[in-house]
Amino acid sequence: MSKSEPVLNRGKTIEMKNIILAGIKGYATFIAPPLHQLLGVKTVCRNTPSCKAYAQQVVTQYGAGKGIVLSLRRIVNCQPYFTL
């Protein structure tokens, strides 16, 4: 193995997943409720499962990088705070 070949470190991948999953739970617990009160809107998720549950699933299944991309794409398409 030469020095130029990348070495895969599985420990960091698992740590990043856990950090992202904790961030999702923290957002749902501490940020979303005051934001809903501030905007005066009770949002209803258009998708099943909800965006939070979907984000947790894809981060767990695909890892941190792809999970974040898929989650953000779904949130942008859903537009939870800009309902008509």
Side-chain angles (χ1 to χ4, degrees), residues 25-41 81:
K25 290 178 186 176
Y27 170 80
T29 304
F30 300 111
I31 297 173
L35 189 59
H36 288 218
Q37 288 179 350
L38 178 68
L39 295 176
V41 177
Y81 296 108

Side-chain angles (χ1 to χ4, degrees), residues 32-68:
L35 189 59
H36 288 218
Q37 288 179 350
L38 178 68
L39 295 176
V41 177
K42 180 162 175 81
T43 60
V44 178
C45 192
R46 303 176 197 183
N47 300 314
T48 303
S50 67
C51 291
K52 175 190 164 205
Y54 178 77
Q56 290 173 332
Q57 287 174 358
V58 296
V59 168
T60 302
Q61 184 176 1
Y62 295 112
K66 188 173 181 180
I68 290 173

